[in-house]
Amino acid sequence: MIHPTSDVKSTNIGENTNIWQFCVVFPQAKIGSNCNICAQVLIENEVEIGNNVTIKSGVQIWDGITIEDDVFIGPNATFTNDLFPRSKNPDWKLSKTIIKKGASIGANATILAGITIGENALIGAGSVVTKDVPANTVWYGNPARFVREV
């Protein structure tokens, strides 16, 4: 189901995926099956989203971000894809980010470019993730720090 107010150009969308109001999905984006893309989400071209993924409202998924299966991304979580952003910079470098299977990212968390969040890891709401997060761990704070194992 694609809500009629959304602008979805991609045809690479799996079965039973819902895309709600006011979303923008670029033509080359890949979205798996059984996903729930909530209102006001933007998904750029060089993006891969696995199966059974939930992306809550107000999230932008920029080029270079891969989200594996069974991931939850909370409302207004923020991703980046450039460690040194400048307007109109012809020499910018795309930094790729990977969110591994089963990870959860809390509301308003910020994930810096080039980071891998491990399988089943949990990022607390409002955290700022500045380095890789190992699998099966809980991190929160600014900057995000290891709290415990899952």
Coordinates of all heavy atoms in Angstrom, one line a residue, residues 72-78 103-111 117 120-130 133 137-148 150:
F72 N 14.3 -1.6 13.6 CA 13.4 -0.6 14.0 C 14.1 0.8 14.1 O 15.2 0.9 14.7 CB 12.8 -0.9 15.4 CG 11.9 0.3 15.9 CD1 10.6 0.4 15.6 CD2 12.5 1.2 16.8 CE1 9.8 1.4 16.0 CE2 11.7 2.3 17.2 CZ 10.3 2.4 16.9
I73 N 13.6 1.8 13.4 CA 14.1 3.1 13.5 C 13.1 4.1 14.0 O 12.0 4.2 13.4 CB 14.6 3.6 12.1 CG1 15.7 2.6 11.6 CG2 15.2 5.0 12.2 CD1 16.3 2.9 10.3
G74 N 13.3 4.6 15.2 CA 12.4 5.5 15.9 C 12.2 6.8 15.2 O 12.9 7.2 14.3
P75 N 11.1 7.5 15.6 CA 10.7 8.8 15.0 C 11.9 9.8 15.1 O 12.5 9.9 16.1 CB 9.5 9.3 15.8 CG 9.4 8.4 17.0 CD 10.2 7.2 16.7
N76 N 12.0 10.5 14.0 CA 13.0 11.6 13.9 C 14.5 11.2 14.2 O 15.3 12.1 14.4 CB 12.6 12.8 14.8 CG 11.3 13.3 14.4 OD1 11.1 13.7 13.3 ND2 10.3 13.3 15.3
A77 N 14.8 9.9 14.1 CA 16.2 9.5 14.1 C 16.9 10.2 12.9 O 16.2 10.4 11.8 CB 16.3 8.0 14.0
T78 N 18.1 10.5 13.1 CA 18.8 11.3 12.0 C 20.1 10.5 11.6 O 20.9 10.1 12.4 CB 19.3 12.7 12.6 OG1 18.1 13.4 12.9 CG2 20.0 13.5 11.5
A103 N 18.6 -4.6 14.8 CA 19.0 -3.5 15.6 C 17.8 -2.5 15.8 O 16.9 -2.5 15.0 CB 20.2 -2.7 15.0
S104 N 17.8 -1.7 16.9 CA 16.8 -0.8 17.1 C 17.4 0.6 17.5 O 18.4 0.6 18.3 CB 15.9 -1.2 18.3 OG 15.1 -2.3 18.0
I105 N 16.9 1.6 16.9 CA 17.4 3.0 17.1 C 16.3 3.8 17.6 O 15.2 3.9 17.0 CB 18.0 3.6 15.7 CG1 19.1 2.7 15.2 CG2 18.4 5.0 15.9 CD1 19.6 3.1 13.8
G106 N 16.5 4.4 18.8 CA 15.5 5.2 19.5 C 15.2 6.5 18.8 O 16.0 7.0 18.0
A107 N 14.1 7.1 19.3 CA 13.7 8.4 18.7 C 14.8 9.5 18.9 O 15.4 9.5 19.9 CB 12.4 8.8 19.5
N108 N 14.9 10.3 17.9 CA 15.8 11.4 17.9 C 17.3 11.1 18.1 O 18.1 11.9 18.3 CB 15.4 12.4 19.0 CG 14.1 13.1 18.7 OD1 14.0 13.6 17.6 ND2 13.2 13.1 19.6
A109 N 17.7 9.8 17.9 CA 19.1 9.4 17.9 C 19.7 10.0 16.6 O 19.1 10.1 15.6 CB 19.3 7.9 18.0
T110 N 21.0 10.3 16.7 CA 21.8 10.8 15.6 C 22.9 9.7 15.3 O 23.7 9.4 16.2 CB 22.4 12.1 15.8 OG1 21.3 13.1 16.0 CG2 23.3 12.6 14.6
I111 N 23.0 9.3 14.0 CA 24.0 8.3 13.6 C 24.9 8.9 12.7 O 24.5 9.3 11.6 CB 23.3 7.0 13.0 CG1 22.1 6.5 13.8 CG2 24.3 6.0 12.7 CD1 22.4 6.1 15.2
I117 N 26.2 -0.3 13.0 CA 25.5 -0.7 14.3 C 25.2 -2.2 14.2 O 24.6 -2.7 13.2 CB 24.2 0.1 14.4 CG1 24.6 1.6 14.6 CG2 23.4 -0.4 15.6 CD1 23.4 2.5 14.8
N120 N 21.2 -6.8 16.5 CA 20.4 -6.7 17.8 C 20.8 -5.6 18.7 O 20.4 -5.6 19.9 CB 20.4 -8.1 18.5 CG 19.8 -9.1 17.6 OD1 18.8 -9.0 17.0 ND2 20.6 -10.2 17.4
A121 N 21.7 -4.7 18.3 CA 22.1 -3.6 19.2 C 20.9 -2.7 19.4 O 20.0 -2.6 18.6 CB 23.3 -2.8 18.6
L122 N 21.0 -2.0 20.5 CA 19.9 -1.0 20.9 C 20.6 0.4 21.1 O 21.5 0.5 22.0 CB 19.2 -1.5 22.1 CG 18.1 -0.5 22.7 CD1 17.0 -0.3 21.7 CD2 17.5 -1.1 24.0
I123 N 20.1 1.4 20.4 CA 20.6 2.7 20.6 C 19.4 3.5 21.3 O 18.3 3.6 20.8 CB 20.9 3.4 19.3 CG1 21.9 2.6 18.4 CG2 21.4 4.8 19.5 CD1 23.2 2.3 19.1
G124 N 19.7 4.1 22.5 CA 18.8 4.8 23.2 C 18.3 6.1 22.6 O 19.0 6.7 21.8
A125 N 17.1 6.5 22.9 CA 16.5 7.8 22.4 C 17.4 9.0 22.7 O 18.0 9.1 23.7 CB 15.2 8.0 23.0
G126 N 17.6 9.8 21.7 CA 18.4 11.0 21.8 C 19.9 10.8 21.8 O 20.7 11.8 21.9
S127 N 20.4 9.6 21.6 CA 21.8 9.4 21.6 C 22.5 9.9 20.4 O 21.9 10.0 19.3 CB 22.1 7.9 21.7 OG 21.6 7.4 22.9
V128 N 23.8 10.2 20.5 CA 24.6 10.6 19.3 C 25.7 9.5 19.2 O 26.6 9.4 20.0 CB 25.2 12.0 19.5 CG1 26.1 12.3 18.3 CG2 24.1 13.0 19.7
V129 N 25.6 8.7 18.1 CA 26.5 7.6 17.9 C 27.6 8.1 17.0 O 27.4 8.5 15.9 CB 25.7 6.4 17.2 CG1 26.7 5.2 17.0 CG2 24.5 6.0 18.1
T130 N 28.8 8.0 17.6 CA 30.0 8.5 16.9 C 31.0 7.4 16.5 O 32.1 7.8 15.9 CB 30.7 9.5 17.8 OG1 31.1 8.9 19.0 CG2 29.8 10.7 18.1
V133 N 29.1 0.3 16.8 CA 28.4 -0.3 18.0 C 28.4 -1.8 17.8 O 27.9 -2.3 16.8 CB 26.9 0.2 18.1 CG1 26.2 -0.6 19.1 CG2 27.0 1.7 18.4
T137 N 24.5 -5.2 22.1 CA 24.9 -4.2 23.1 C 23.9 -3.1 23.2 O 23.2 -2.8 22.2 CB 26.3 -3.7 22.9 OG1 26.4 -3.0 21.7 CG2 27.3 -4.8 23.0
V138 N 23.8 -2.4 24.3 CA 22.9 -1.2 24.5 C 23.8 0.0 24.7 O 24.8 -0.1 25.5 CB 22.0 -1.4 25.7 CG1 21.2 -0.1 26.0 CG2 21.1 -2.6 25.6
W139 N 23.5 1.0 23.9 CA 24.3 2.3 24.0 C 23.4 3.4 24.1 O 22.3 3.5 23.5 CB 25.1 2.5 22.7 CG 26.3 1.5 22.5 CD1 26.2 0.1 22.5 CD2 27.6 1.8 22.4 NE1 27.4 -0.4 22.3 CE2 28.4 0.6 22.3 CE3 28.3 3.0 22.4 CZ2 29.7 0.6 22.1 CZ3 29.7 3.0 22.2 CH2 30.4 1.8 22.1
Y140 N 23.7 4.4 24.9 CA 23.0 5.7 25.0 C 23.8 6.8 25.5 O 24.9 6.6 26.1 CB 21.6 5.6 25.7 CG 21.7 5.2 27.1 CD1 22.0 6.2 28.1 CD2 21.4 3.9 27.6 CE1 22.1 5.8 29.5 CE2 21.4 3.6 28.9 CZ 21.7 4.6 29.9 OH 21.7 4.2 31.2
G141 N 23.4 8.0 25.3 CA 24.0 9.2 25.7 C 24.6 10.0 24.6 O 24.4 9.7 23.4
N142 N 25.3 11.1 24.9 CA 25.9 12.0 23.9 C 27.3 12.4 24.4 O 27.4 13.2 25.3 CB 25.1 13.3 23.7 CG 25.7 14.2 22.7 OD1 26.7 13.9 22.1 ND2 25.1 15.4 22.6
P143 N 28.3 11.8 23.8 CA 28.3 10.7 22.8 C 27.8 9.4 23.4 O 27.9 9.2 24.6 CB 29.7 10.6 22.3 CG 30.5 11.0 23.5 CD 29.7 12.1 24.2
A144 N 27.2 8.6 22.5 CA 26.7 7.3 23.0 C 27.8 6.4 23.6 O 28.9 6.4 23.0 CB 26.0 6.6 21.9
R145 N 27.5 5.8 24.7 CA 28.5 4.9 25.4 C 27.9 3.6 25.6 O 26.6 3.5 25.8 CB 28.9 5.6 26.7 CG 29.8 6.8 26.5 CD 30.2 7.3 27.9 NE 31.2 8.4 27.7 CZ 30.8 9.7 27.6 NH1 29.6 10.0 27.6 NH2 31.8 10.6 27.4
F146 N 28.7 2.6 25.7 CA 28.3 1.2 26.0 C 27.6 1.2 27.4 O 28.2 1.8 28.4 CB 29.5 0.2 26.0 CG 29.1 -1.1 26.5 CD1 28.4 -2.0 25.8 CD2 29.5 -1.5 27.8 CE1 28.1 -3.3 26.3 CE2 29.2 -2.7 28.3 CZ 28.5 -3.6 27.5
V147 N 26.5 0.6 27.6 CA 25.8 0.5 28.8 C 25.8 -0.9 29.3 O 26.1 -1.2 30.5 CB 24.3 1.0 28.7 CG1 23.6 0.8 30.0 CG2 24.3 2.5 28.3
R148 N 25.4 -1.9 28.5 CA 25.3 -3.3 28.9 C 25.1 -4.1 27.6 O 24.8 -3.6 26.6 CB 24.2 -3.5 29.9 CG 22.8 -3.3 29.4 CD 21.8 -3.6 30.4 NE 20.4 -3.2 30.0 CZ 19.6 -4.0 29.3 NH1 20.0 -5.3 29.0 NH2 18.4 -3.6 29.0
V150 N 22.9 -7.0 25.6 CA 21.5 -7.4 25.5 C 21.2 -8.7 26.1 O 22.0 -9.7 25.8 CB 21.0 -7.3 24.0 CG1 19.6 -7.8 23.9 CG2 21.1 -5.9 23.5

